[in-house]
Amino acid sequence: MKRIKAVVLAAAAVAGLTLAAAPAAQASTCEAGGGGLYICEYGVTDHALPDGHKEQFIVGTDEAMWTRHNMDGKWSGWVYLGGVFRGKIYVQERPEPEYPYAITVYAAGPGGKPWATKRMAPGLKWTPFFCMRCGG
């Protein structure tokens, strides 16, 4: 009898996990060019640098942030930035005297809080993601 209860409880737990994952699995998938697949509801975020170069950001079907850039009319491949996101990506320009192309890129993460990464200039590495309003 105990064994049957354990099996029933395990099956219920697995069913609960499946139901919890269902909304993400049901999201519409769109193609962003260059093989990039993203969650349609979050869109593609376009950003133009002052020198005319373009960038795009998407939340991929893996819920991570991805980016690519266009130089001389040719798009790069998609570059994985990481994280777990549940909304549209926003770009905020953060110019500094020595870094005129500095940007912060952010979107809603788990719990709806905005998570961000920074890049001081094109070609430089992105910072690790940080929570913009987690306090503490």
Side-chain angles (χ1 to χ4, degrees):
M1 186 68 156
K2 287 183 182 180
R3 186 176 198 144
I4 292 172
K5 285 182 183 178
V7 169
V8 169
L9 289 174
V14 170
L17 290 174
T18 303
L19 292 175
Q26 293 175 356
S28 301
T29 301
C30 291
E31 205 274 314
L37 296 177
Y38 67 98
I39 298 173
C40 299
E41 291 80 5
Y42 303 159
V44 176
T45 300
D46 293 304
H47 179 250
L49 295 167
D51 65 0
H53 291 142
K54 299 173 188 171
E55 301 174 294
Q56 289 185 324
F57 299 89
I58 59 173
V59 175
T61 56
D62 59 356
E63 298 183 331
M65 188 180 291
W66 292 79
T67 186
R68 70 178 182 162
H69 64 274
N70 185 320
M71 294 182 147
D72 304 321
K74 296 181 183 176
W75 285 101
S76 69
W78 288 98
V79 176
Y80 174 82
L81 297 178
V84 176
F85 297 95
R86 308 264 191 307
K88 179 174 177 52
I89 296 172
Y90 298 91
V91 178
Q92 185 176 31
E93 295 184 8
R94 302 284 219 161
E96 297 179 16
E98 64 274 12
Y99 298 109
Y101 298 145
I103 61 173
T104 299
V105 181
Y106 62 96
K113 298 201 184 279
W115 284 80
T117 181
K118 292 182 183 181
R119 184 193 67 214
M120 300 311 287
L124 295 181
K125 293 186 179 196
W126 295 89
T127 65
F129 280 98
F130 58 94
C131 184
M132 295 175 73
R133 293 191 194 131
C134 288

